[in-house]
Structure formats: C-alpha cells, structure tokens
Amino acid sequence: MHRPSALPPLTSLKLLTPWLRPALGGCPRNLPAAACLLGLIFLGTLTPPAHAQTPAADPAMSTLPPSVLAALQRAGVPAQAMSALVLPVKSGGGERLSYRADASVNPASVMKLVTTYAAMDMLGPDFTWRTDFYTDGRLDNGSLRGNLYIRGGGDPKLVLERIHAAFWALQDKGVRVILGDMVLDHSAFELPEHDPGDFDGESLRPYNASPDALLVNFKSVILTFQPDAAAGVARVVSEPPLAGLAVDATVPLSRAACGDWRGALVARFEDANTIRFEGQYPSRCGEKVWPVAYQDPASYAARAMEGLWRASGGALTGRARTGLTPPGVKLLYEAQSLPLSEIIADVNHFSNNVMAQQVFLTLGRLAPARQEVRGVTRDQFQPLRTGRFERSREALSQWWRTTFGIRSTEPIMENGSGLSRNERITPQALATMLQHAARHPNGERFVQSLSVAGVSGTAARMAQGPNSLARGNAWLKTGTLRNVTGIAGFVDAVGGQRYVVVGFVNHEQASAARPALDALVEWTAGLPN
C-alpha cells in the first residue's frame, strides 16, 4: 500500500482549500473534514501536491548549537550565511561540529593566520629583517663627506624608537653631520601604485597604509590633544617631526559634549605641508590621541627620516630623497628588526594590516628553489629577488601544496592581510592548517601570537559574561569587513582537550551576527572530554 512520505500539518489544512475542495465530496457529512482528509491520504487515494509537502529539515537545526542559532535569529541572519567547524587538535579525533565547512568564504582579517603561519614555517620564529646604512663617502672628524644611503629590507615595524636607536648608533660611529644627501632605497619591494582610499574611502585611516620596503612608522602621524583650560585651548603635539610639515599648535576649546570630537576639530589635510584645525576641541574629552595616515604617503619616509635625524642631534647639509644604493658603497650600520615571532604577535594580536602585507611580501623574496626550506635563520636567508605580490602568491601556493597536499583546497590570496574583497578560504582548509600549526615544533609560539578571549587584543571584547568558560581559554584571530565577520583559533575546553574552532558569517548583516560566533566559542569551551 502506498503511503505518502509527508502529511500536511492539521494547522495548515485550511491553507490548502483549493486542493482539498474536490476531495471533500467523498466524505460523510458527519465526519470532520480534517479527519476525512487524513484518512484519504493514509489510504493513498489522495496525495498532497508538491507545494504542500513538509520541507526537509534544515541541517543547521541539527548541527549548530541552539545558542548559535538563537544569536543568528536575533541578528536576522539565516543559518546558511554561516559556516563553522570544530575539531580536536589531536589527530584521530572526529569533528565535534561541521556546518558548511567546504564553503568558500571571505575570511577578512582571519586570513592573516595563513600569512603568519606560512612565515613561521618557512622562515622560522627567529628570522629578522635588515635595514642597512651605507655611504659612498668617508668619515672626517664627525662629518660624513658623502651621501648616507638607507636601504630598506621590508622591516614590518621600523618605528620611531628603533629609528632613533639606529641614528644614535650612527652618531656613536662618528656620523654627526652628513655633508651630502640622505638617500632612501625602497627597491626591495616592487609595488603597484596605491591609493589608500581605494578600499573603503578612508584614506586617513592607518589600517589602509600601503606596504613599503622602507616602511617608516606605518606612514602615520600621531596627534595628541591636551586641554589647557586656563588658556582656553587644547595644545597639539604631533609625532614624528616631519620635515616641511606645519601643524597647528593649538585649537580653541569648547564646552560641548565629547561625542564626535574628531569631527568637531574640522581638520584640514588637503595640503601636504600643513595640518590645520578650523573647529574646536571639547574640553570634556580630556587628553585624546588621534593617529592619522599622512596625507602624502609617497613623501612620508623622506620627511620623517630627515626630521628624526635632526631631532636626534644630527645635521644634514643636503636633503632626504628617494634613490638607489649604488655598487661599491661601504656598510656603516645594520639595524636588525624584531624577530618574526614578535612581529606575528603584533599582526595577529592587533590585526595590523600593513605589517601582515610586509610579511607576505617577504615570502615572495624567496627564490622558488628555497621555498621548501624550513626554519631558515637570518644568516642563511638572503634577499634573493624583489618582493612582489604575485611572487608572494606563488610562494604561498607552493608552500600550501607541499605542506597540505594537492587535494587540500588552497586559499585565494591577494595581499595576505585579509583587507580584500577577493581573498577566500574554506573553514576545512583553515582548520587543517591550524591543526598542523598546533603540532608544529614552534606551534605554541604561534598560538600565543593570537588575541585572548576576554583578555587582550581584538578578542578582548569577547567572553564577557560572568560565567564565561572561554575567557582566558581561547586564542583567536578575529576578522571584520563590510558583510563579513569571522573567528578562528584554539579553545581549551573544560574537558581538558584543545580544539580548533573556525566560524564565519558572510552576509549583509554580518556585523550583527558576532554574538553567534561568540556563542560558538563558548559552546566549544564547554565541550566535555
């Protein structure tokens, strides 16, 4: 006997009137219509139309934890916009949760995990970059009779303190007056023209700074506003000192609420030689700091290096300019960067985009024959070719295939930072990489480079509930773009096992779905052994 696979719910029978009316003619008048119809369906004499069949159960309902589903519902985001995977770090353990794990998604800044782990594996945690100082002249009683050449090697964190230290070291070697030019060599990277406002129109946001072989202080200006109530002004302090840049020293105070204090300043950045303020600064704000990307990034390094040299007590008779280091020059000083392990901690902990791109471009400087070498030390590694984004993509692709095999879905990389609309990865591929990273000889150093839920870095906002199990027990990389939010990393669960957790939401309401990712992390932290 034929029995239909799905019966229409009683509550929906009245919605099916056009389909039911012909069948009701065969029912006894004293028998309720609903009972008669169910009988006809059971006997096989009446089959519900296709549009009336009960829909197949949504896999998300049986896969995603209720707390995650509830958060998605509150955000107005369908479960199908989420992808997630939770599995133990130890090999042989089965997946604890898998939902759309093979979906190719935009990971936003979570992609930095791929860049930093590839660098850790290929270069080793103790790898350092070099910034070299050369001359084509000679030292004469405190004066350098010739040019000073500064050749960048891609140092991701050549900041003010380290530049001052390098200049003081040069002065200790007798270079106090440069009777010539300061020539800045950026040629280790070959990069396309870049408008910092192209990505999202926010050209003054430091996160949009472009990479550079001689990246000086992230190409940013730090403006500090210090209210002086007696004088009725806020005093403005700017760092670093940029040659040829005039910054208004004060701005009038107002009694307005702090609110949008940056907008209240009516700052003008159109002229590369000035930063002016045509508004007022709310006194209620107290002291505030505003980091901005310098409005003329192409001239930043020359202005900053000249200004810092003079501020450190040095003199320069010529000018700071861009140029190439000629052959036959003499090495005066070699400035070492921080080790890679500290660099990737900054990249992953604080999601620094330009530092991630510096690391990514460095991978492209490896010659193809050297890309399979593991744990290369600084003394072994030499800059073998010019860094380009396409070379970095090739290097990372080769590393991925060598490490994970040709069957593993490769990530689609653009600049290695996740600041991209084109980068893609699957949760399965990322989780496989994180499992590999956890078992790496330097795996714990990689884990510790991540922000800690409820404690530090970009994950500090998470795990704030009074009974949170994830606080202090989840090491995560977060990612956010328009229509994208994501997390990935490691969670130590109450059962004593460490898990890899990956979760993404790609949807126009993705920002509202962050609590769903928080719930995923909490659920993982609560897993028994």
Side-chain angles (χ1 to χ4, degrees), residues 364-400:
R365 300 194 71 196
L366 284 167
R370 297 289 300 280
Q371 289 169 10
E372 295 184 21
V373 177
R374 299 291 186 266
V376 181
T377 65
R378 183 193 64 79
D379 291 334
Q380 293 171 303
F381 174 77
Q382 297 296 324
L384 301 172
R385 58 179 184 171
T386 304
R388 299 174 185 165
F389 280 123
E390 61 268 25
R391 288 177 172 173
S392 296
R393 290 190 282 267
E394 292 166 3
L396 197 138
S397 176
Q398 181 174 330
W399 170 79
W400 189 277

Side-chain angles (χ1 to χ4, degrees), residues 301-473:
R303 291 175 183 267
M305 294 300 259
E306 179 177 341
L308 289 167
W309 174 253
R310 296 186 188 281
S312 69
L316 174 67
T317 62
R319 63 189 180 94
R321 60 181 173 86
T322 297
L324 297 176
T325 304
V329 292
K330 176 184 176 183
L331 179 65
L332 291 173
Y333 181 70
E334 175 186 299
Q336 297 292 326
S337 75
L338 298 172
L340 177 68
S341 58
E342 294 187 36
I343 293 296
I344 70 169
D346 274 1
V347 171
N348 289 334
H349 215 73
F350 303 109
S351 206
N352 190 299
N353 291 314
V354 71
M355 288 180 71
Q357 293 180 51
Q358 296 285 114
V359 173
F360 185 64
L361 284 161
T362 300
L363 299 180
R365 300 194 71 196
L366 284 167
R370 297 289 300 280
Q371 289 169 10
E372 295 184 21
V373 177
R374 299 291 186 266
V376 181
T377 65
R378 183 193 64 79
D379 291 334
Q380 293 171 303
F381 174 77
Q382 297 296 324
L384 301 172
R385 58 179 184 171
T386 304
R388 299 174 185 165
F389 280 123
E390 61 268 25
R391 288 177 172 173
S392 296
R393 290 190 282 267
E394 292 166 3
L396 197 138
S397 176
Q398 181 174 330
W399 170 79
W400 189 277
R401 293 193 303 270
T402 300
T403 306
F404 305 110
I406 59 175
R407 293 186 179 181
S408 176
T409 304
E410 285 185 42
I412 298 173
M413 309 292 286
E414 184 174 14
N415 57 44
S417 73
L419 192 67
S420 166
R421 300 294 178 194
N422 301 317
E423 293 191 334
R424 294 291 186 274
I425 197 167
T426 68
Q428 182 66 63
L430 183 54
T432 298
M433 190 203 78
L434 292 175
Q435 279 185 312
H436 189 277
R439 299 193 290 264
H440 192 278
N442 293 303
E444 192 56 28
R445 297 175 81 169
F446 181 73
V447 172
Q448 295 303 321
S449 75
L450 307 181
S451 58
V452 183
V455 177
S456 63
T458 59
R461 63 163 185 81
M462 302 175 66
Q464 292 300 311
N467 300 314
S468 172
L469 298 173
R471 187 186 303 114
N473 294 310

Side-chain angles (χ1 to χ4, degrees), residues 472-522:
N473 294 310
W475 295 262
L476 303 168
K477 180 72 198 76
T478 63
T480 302
L481 286 175
R482 188 180 71 248
N483 302 341
V484 180
T485 189
I487 55 96
F490 307 91
V491 177
D492 285 351
V494 292
Q497 187 156 199
R498 174 168 288 184
Y499 290 92
V500 168
V501 59
V502 179
F504 293 107
V505 176
N506 281 193
H507 187 268
E508 60 185 8
Q509 297 295 327
S511 61
R514 287 177 186 169
L517 299 179
D518 296 356
L520 177 65
V521 173
E522 288 290 348

Side-chain angles (χ1 to χ4, degrees), residues 33-45:
C36 177
L37 286 167
L38 288 177
L40 291 173
I41 293 171
F42 181 78
L43 292 171
T45 60

Side-chain angles (χ1 to χ4, degrees), residues 149-185:
Y149 297 89
I150 305 176
R151 186 166 69 188
D155 185 345
K157 198 176 182 181
L158 188 60
V159 292
L160 304 185
E161 298 83 359
R162 297 187 54 251
I163 295 169
H164 275 303
F167 283 164
W168 290 330
L170 282 172
Q171 291 171 23
D172 288 343
K173 290 178 177 290
V175 181
R176 297 183 179 85
V177 179
I178 301 171
L179 300 174
D181 289 344
M182 180 184 288
V183 183
L184 309 181
D185 188 342

